[in-house]
């Protein structure tokens, strides 16, 4: 009887949880109360601010709220001053951000204490790796929302609607810039037809405070301009860029500037002409300067030399410190290799003291299970932003080294490689939306904790009081049975992925170019060594790991003391980075007392067990989630679990060939055959 009753309750609750497809993201405010908005000025942005208040107000019914544009020196740029019944800002965009902050606080039940709220970074930018043919490099959520196949340039009503929804979502978390095309840039983007479309996009984004930027190919002057060279010091080349930039600003007066991947992974660059990165960046910076534009010049460079790849960006860029114009920002990936599940921070942060530096994070989960695995990235970004660089004594976190608190940067910025596509839920996985949200929130406030972000996002995205159903979603019941367990799952999810993919500092052991499944063996003949996993794990009969100490590549020397010594010394090197910095024998004694081999085995196994737990957590919250989103996540977790098992089996069976040790008997045995795994790379379904 009890059971039947239980089923009945379950059915009843699910009935009240109305269907949702995730398209509304964290902006599902359909249960608002009336509000009286007082605003003396008018502009498209202020109109949006008023509408948002009317759509989402959950404060006192029929209360009055005033939106006031008034200059205040304590409010920086588009920051704002907030209280329960008033938002004050220097600009309309500041008002809009204040409105979104107020609504979020109402909807999440967070207190509204009068305060001035300024952003950590002046520019908070999404990088879309979208190609002109509508495909997306490392995109896992459908085609591009900006570009279409077959060069179809017609701007449809649907396009406009989508761009507006995109702009609104970004503005709601404070994102104020977007690079519309891939850093592996097609020169086509600078042609008239594409620029016309950029203009149309910019018009939709503008009222939401979002500037458009473009990635450009360094050889554009010769590729589309018909010049014989793209040498940055050649007068015709300089003129070509000046003219092109003039043309762009004629069409898009608030254009943000360029993002450039040059002399990197086969992309053309100033080095093709015997010039430096500074020569290349400054050429564009000078041309953009009169219009207020900036250049984001990427430091993602490495060549097939014998130098450790992790050292190369530092070696190439440090000698150029101080040589860049003040409207150039060097865009540096968080880690020295490439968006791995875990890396120490890039040693360039805080080291280039006379040059503006901006972090580049990857929101799209290229190396973290793509749109299948549930991985909340904010914990990784928090770890990164809080990393101590010691560059100006203790307290020199990466966050402070990049947001202008320590170095007087003319511009400050942070970028995230977007995970957005045409899929109805935008990101291909309901929980991948949390990473878009988290990027925006951290870009606005780089001191936020990932826990707070997860908490906010879950309340906004899943709470029933924010949907059209009648259930009160922030009840104790909801908090205990949905919020707490799911938040914990999110908080654990990145470490879980590290456990089943590459624990203890292992990195880049993916199969093939897909970067999805395991491939510690992957090293096709003729392939560049630094594109193959054995280069990174260096497993042999003596042990495993990359020696980056003085006896090895000495990459540790690029870190400011005492960090260099800490990483070098086995007694002080954090175990999370152990095999990043050291090559160690299989029997090396870990802090736990286990041998290194056993510890590796336990990490992989723990990762698998953790995903199994996630499945249980999710299955239990079924009554609190609408059926559509529930089953998407449920089936993705099943695939993640199968994948985690493959990762564990592949890595343990492969490394066992070198360790010649048994997998501890408490651990479940592998269920796959290594040869089969090697024959068939893991595919994403
Ligand atoms: O992470 C790697 C990716 C490439 C990407 C490159 C980069 C856009 O595998 O797809 O190219 O980095 O960041 O430039």
């Amino acid at each position: 009887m009890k059971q039947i009753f239980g089923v009945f309750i379950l059915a009843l609750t699910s009935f009240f949880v109305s269907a949702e497809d995730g398209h509304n993201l964290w902006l599902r405010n359909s249960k608002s109360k009336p509000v009286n908005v007082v605003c003396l000025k008018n502009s498209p942005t202020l109109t949006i601010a008023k509408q948002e208040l009317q759509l989402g107000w959950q404060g006192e019914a029929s209360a009055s709220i005033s939106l006031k544009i008034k200059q205040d020196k304590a409010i920086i740029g588009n920051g704002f001053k907030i209280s329960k019944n008033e938002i004050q800002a220097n600009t309309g965009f500041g008002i809009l951000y204040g409105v979104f902050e107020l609504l979020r606080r109402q909807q999440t039940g967070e207190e509204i204490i009068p305060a001035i709220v300024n952003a950590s970074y002046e520019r908070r930018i999404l990088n879309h790796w979208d190609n002109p043919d509508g495909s997306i490099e490392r995109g896992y959520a459908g085609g591009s929302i900006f570009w279409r196949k077959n060069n179809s340039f017609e701007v449809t009503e649907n396009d406009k609607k989508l761009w507006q929804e995109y702009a609104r979502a970004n503005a709601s978390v404070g994102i104020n810039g977007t690079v519309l095309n891939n850093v592996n840039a097609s020169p086509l983007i600078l042609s008239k037809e594409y620029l016309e479309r950029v203009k149309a996009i910019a018009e939709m984004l503008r009222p939401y405070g979002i500037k458009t930027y473009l990635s450009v190919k360094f050889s554009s002057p010769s590729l589309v301009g018909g010049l014989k060279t793209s040498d940055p010091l050649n007068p015709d080349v300089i003129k070509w860029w000046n003219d092109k930039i003039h043309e762009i600003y004629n069409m898009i007066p608030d254009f943000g500037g360029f993002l450039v991947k040059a002399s990197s992974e086969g992309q053309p660059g100033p080095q093709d002409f015997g010039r430096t990165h500074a020569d290349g960046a400054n050429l564009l910076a000078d041309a953009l300067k009169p219009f207020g534009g900036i250049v984001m010049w990427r430091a993602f460079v490495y060549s097939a030399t014998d130098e450790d790849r992790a050292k190369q960006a530092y070696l190439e860029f440090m000698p150029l410190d101080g040589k860049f114009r003040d409207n150039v920002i060097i865009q540096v990936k968080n880690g020295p290799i490439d968006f791995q599940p875990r890396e120490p921070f890039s040693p360039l942060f805080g080291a280039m003291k006379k040059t503006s530096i901006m972090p580049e994070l990857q929101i799209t989960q290229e190396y973290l299970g793509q749109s299948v695995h549930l991985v909340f990235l904010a914990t990784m970004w928090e770890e990164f932003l809080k990393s101590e660089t010691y560059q100006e004594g203790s307290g020199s976190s990466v966050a402070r080294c990049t947001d202008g608190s320590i170095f007087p940067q003319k511009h400050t910025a942070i970028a995230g490689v977007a995970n957005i596509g045409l899929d109805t839920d935008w990101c291909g996985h309901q929980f991948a939306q949390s990473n878009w949200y988290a990027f925006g929130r951290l870009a606005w406030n780089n001191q936020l904790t990932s826990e707070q972000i997860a908490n906010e996002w879950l309340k906004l995205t899943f709470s029933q009081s924010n949907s059209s159903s009648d259930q009160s979603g922030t009840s104790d019941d909801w908090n205990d049975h949905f919020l707490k367990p799911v938040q914990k799952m999110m908080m654990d999810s990145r470490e879980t992925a590290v456990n089943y993919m590459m624990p203890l500092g292992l990195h880049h052991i993916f199969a093939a170019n897909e970067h999805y499944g395991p491939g510690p063996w992957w090293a096709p003949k003729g392939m560049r060594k630094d594109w193959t996993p054995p280069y990174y794990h260096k497993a042999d009969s003596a042990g495993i790991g990359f020696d980056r100490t003085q006896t090895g590549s000495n990459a540790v020397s690029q870190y400011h003391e005492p960090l260099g010594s800490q990483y070098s010394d086995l007694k002080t090197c954090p175990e999370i980075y152990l095999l990043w910095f050291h090559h160690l024998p299989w029997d090396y004694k870990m802090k736990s007392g286990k041998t290194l081999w056993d510890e590796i085995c336990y990490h992989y196994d723990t990762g698998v067990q953790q995903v199994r737990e996630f499945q249980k957590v999710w299955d239990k919250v079924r009554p609190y989630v609408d059926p559509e989103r529930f089953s998407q996540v449920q089936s993705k977790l099943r695939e993640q679990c199968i994948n985690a098992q493959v990762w564990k089996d592949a890595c343990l069976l492969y490394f066992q060939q070198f360790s010649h040790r048994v997998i501890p008997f408490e651990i479940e045995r592998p269920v796959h055959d290594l040869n089969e795994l090697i024959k068939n790379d893991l595919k994403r379904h």
Side-chain angles (χ1 to χ4, degrees):
M1 183 59 199
K2 225 177 173 180
Q3 235 172 11
I4 296 175
F5 188 65
V7 170
F8 177 70
I9 296 275
L10 192 91
L12 208 66
T13 357
S14 320
F15 177 77
F16 283 117
V17 182
S18 52
E20 292 194 47
D21 56 17
H23 191 70
N24 291 336
L25 298 158
W26 49 87
L27 296 163
R28 301 149 56 244
N29 37 18
S30 44
K31 243 180 63 174
S32 61
K33 296 183 191 154
V35 60
N36 175 29
V37 185
V38 184
C39 178
L40 298 179
K41 295 203 172 132
N42 249 323
S43 75
T45 304
L46 289 172
T47 304
I48 294 169
K50 285 180 228 165
Q51 279 166 356
E52 289 296 340
L53 281 170
Q54 264 133 15
L55 255 177
W57 183 259
Q58 290 192 12
E60 208 185 305
S62 306
S64 274
I65 165 120
S66 118
L67 306 180
K68 207 189 272 172
I69 298 195
K70 191 175 144 209
Q71 303 308 308
D72 182 335
K73 280 211 185 104
I75 302 174
I76 299 165
N78 296 322
F80 53 86
K81 196 165 164 186
I82 191 173
S83 65
K84 263 193 182 152
N85 296 93
E86 182 171 290
I87 291 163
Q88 183 197 320
N90 298 327
T91 64
F93 299 139
I95 296 285
L96 185 60
Y97 294 138
V99 163
F100 278 122
E101 171 93 16
L102 185 74
L103 293 175
R104 194 188 57 247
R105 284 175 180 264
Q106 288 180 347
Q107 287 159 18
T108 57
E110 216 184 304
E111 241 188 309
I112 300 161
I113 310 162
I116 288 181
V117 184
N118 290 316
S120 300
Y121 296 97
E122 169 196 289
R123 300 186 191 225
R124 307 169 295 274
I125 303 179
L126 287 182
N127 286 184
H128 287 264
W129 287 357
D130 295 19
N131 298 312
D133 68 357
S135 63
I136 304 182
E137 181 154 350
R138 312 303 177 185
Y140 313 103
S144 169
I145 61 168
F146 301 120
W147 314 108
R148 260 197 302 271
K149 250 194 205 140
N150 312 324
N151 293 349
S152 163
F153 294 105
E154 188 204 345
V155 175
T156 65
E157 284 310 306
N158 247 348
D159 286 337
K160 285 197 197 163
K161 183 168 168 276
L162 201 63
W163 297 339
Q164 189 182 18
E165 289 170 346
Y166 164 85
R168 176 179 180 232
N170 281 328
S172 77
V173 288
I175 291 169
N176 67 356
T178 178
V179 183
L180 299 175
N181 63 314
N182 191 352
V183 286
N184 288 328
S186 159
L188 282 181
I189 203 71
L190 293 176
S191 64
K192 186 99 191 101
E193 287 157 313
Y194 280 93
L195 289 178
E196 283 294 345
R197 198 165 166 87
V198 173
K199 181 180 174 201
I201 297 169
E203 272 157 21
M204 297 308 295
L205 307 191
R206 185 168 298 122
Y208 288 88
I210 297 161
K211 274 187 198 283
T212 44
Y213 298 76
L214 290 175
S215 297
V216 293
K217 203 175 192 76
F218 197 75
S219 52
S220 297
S222 24
L223 291 178
V224 288
L227 302 189
K228 287 209 184 74
T229 177
S230 294
D231 180 346
L233 302 191
N234 177 293
D236 293 336
V237 171
I238 298 173
K239 180 172 182 329
W240 188 86
W241 281 113
N242 278 331
D243 292 347
K244 184 48 82 180
I245 286 166
H246 214 97
E247 181 190 338
I248 295 176
Y249 277 92
N250 264 336
M251 297 169 78
I252 309 154
D254 57 348
F255 182 70
F258 292 151
L259 169 64
V260 193
K261 172 175 178 178
S263 298
S264 157
E265 292 191 329
Q267 289 297 326
Q271 294 177 348
D272 302 344
F273 310 95
R275 314 292 184 195
T276 67
H277 285 288
D279 294 328
N282 292 343
L283 152 82
L284 300 174
D286 288 342
L288 286 160
K289 182 94 183 178
F291 305 96
I294 62 161
V295 177
M296 295 168 284
W297 190 269
R298 293 176 93 227
F300 180 62
V301 296
Y302 63 99
S303 47
T305 59
D306 284 341
E307 271 305 348
D308 175 4
R309 173 171 166 188
K311 287 171 66 181
Q312 295 190 31
Y314 184 99
L315 290 175
E316 225 172 294
F317 276 83
M318 278 306 280
L320 299 174
D321 191 17
K323 301 224 157 71
F324 293 93
R325 301 283 190 265
D326 67 3
N327 58 335
V328 174
I329 312 190
I330 305 300
Q331 182 166 315
V332 183
K333 289 188 182 183
N334 58 293
I337 303 263
D338 192 9
F339 299 137
Q340 296 302 291
R342 173 168 276 128
E343 296 188 42
F345 69 88
S346 160
L348 278 171
F349 291 107
M352 286 183 86
K353 299 179 197 300
K354 291 177 271 173
T355 307
S356 301
I357 302 277
M358 63 186 280
E360 176 178 323
L361 308 173
Q362 196 182 41
I363 310 169
T364 191
Q365 291 166 236
E366 173 181 358
Y367 294 101
L368 279 138
Q370 301 175 7
S371 54
V372 178
H373 297 201
L374 189 160
V375 185
F376 178 53
L377 300 172
T379 48
M380 170 160 82
W381 299 334
E382 184 183 2
E383 177 178 298
F384 159 69
L385 288 166
K386 293 195 171 146
S387 292
E388 174 60 89
T389 71
Y390 293 105
Q391 285 288 349
E392 294 291 313
S394 63
S396 314
S397 62
V398 169
R400 299 191 70 240
C401 284
T402 51
D403 67 7
S405 326
I406 296 184
F407 303 110
Q409 302 194 186
K410 172 91 196 249
H411 297 287
T412 61
I414 185 165
V417 181
N419 61 351
I420 296 159
L422 282 171
D423 278 5
T424 308
D425 65 14
W426 301 88
C427 303
H429 190 311
Q430 300 297 334
F431 278 78
Q433 296 178 356
S434 66
N435 293 327
W436 176 6
Y437 180 87
F439 169 75
R441 296 288 290 127
L442 278 172
W444 181 275
N445 179 356
N446 63 13
Q447 304 299 317
L448 276 183
T449 65
S450 45
E451 190 149 21
Q452 148 124 19
I453 297 172
N455 182 278
E456 282 175 9
W457 179 79
L458 281 170
K459 285 177 177 166
L460 298 171
T461 308
F462 286 103
S463 157
Q464 292 309 307
S465 63
N466 288 327
S467 83
S468 48
S469 110
D470 273 325
Q471 289 252 311
S472 167
T474 41
S475 62
D476 288 348
D477 175 58
W478 188 84
N479 284 340
D480 292 346
H481 297 106
F482 181 85
L483 183 62
K484 277 190 196 146
V486 180
Q487 186 174 318
K488 178 163 182 348
M489 170 170 78
M490 288 174 77
M491 292 303 292
D492 291 346
S493 60
R494 183 278 187 129
E495 202 61 50
T496 297
V498 169
N499 280 333
Y500 64 72
M501 285 183 176
M502 30 203 107
L504 299 169
L506 287 172
H507 52 286
H508 225 309
I509 55 174
F510 295 91
N513 302 311
E514 294 302 311
H515 301 157
Y516 186 66
W521 53 80
W522 191 74
K525 255 211 179 114
M527 176 70 65
R528 262 175 72 158
K529 277 214 190 83
D530 56 357
W531 283 349
T532 70
Y535 170 92
Y536 296 99
H537 62 65
K538 305 218 184 300
D540 55 24
S541 57
I544 183 169
F546 200 127
D547 183 2
R548 293 193 164 103
T549 68
Q550 290 83 344
T551 54
S553 78
N554 203 20
V556 288
S557 67
Q558 294 181 341
Y559 289 93
H560 199 284
E561 283 303 328
L563 215 49
S565 307
Q566 255 169 42
Y567 288 153
S568 260
D569 186 347
L570 279 171
K571 284 199 267 342
T572 47
C573 180
E575 287 193 344
I576 52 170
Y577 301 136
L578 198 63
L579 304 176
W580 183 282
F581 289 113
H582 298 270
H583 188 269
L584 294 171
W586 297 106
D587 284 333
Y588 172 79
K589 256 281 177 38
M590 301 290 292
K591 289 191 183 123
S592 64
K594 294 189 187 84
T595 64
L596 173 60
W597 166 250
D598 282 2
E599 187 87 16
I600 291 176
C601 294
Y602 275 103
H603 272 278
Y604 276 102
D605 189 61
T606 303
V608 176
Q609 301 308 327
Q610 284 172 303
V611 185
R612 296 235 163 96
E613 275 310 309
F614 293 173
Q615 288 187 283
K616 288 184 205 158
V617 167
W618 192 250
D619 281 356
K620 271 199 219 158
V621 301
R622 181 176 215 140
Y624 303 92
V625 187
D626 50 285
E628 197 171 336
R629 292 190 296 172
F630 176 80
S631 40
Q632 187 218 55
V633 175
Q634 185 184 50
S635 81
K636 299 230 178 217
L637 279 170
R638 286 179 185 153
E639 194 175 342
Q640 182 176 353
C641 193
I642 296 169
N643 289 179
Q645 177 85 53
V646 168
W647 267 97
K648 168 190 156 186
D649 292 2
C651 295
L652 292 188
L653 292 173
Y654 172 78
F655 291 135
Q656 193 176 34
Q657 301 178 118
F658 302 95
S659 79
H660 301 293
R661 277 149 181 83
V662 293
I663 295 171
F665 290 111
E666 299 82 6
I667 287 175
E668 282 177 26
R669 317 323 286 164
V671 295
H672 296 95
D673 179 79
L674 181 61
N675 290 325
E676 285 301 312
L677 293 174
I678 293 177
K679 245 195 286 164
N680 306 306
D681 282 347
L682 183 59
K683 296 275 179 302
R684 192 161 38 93
H685 292 296

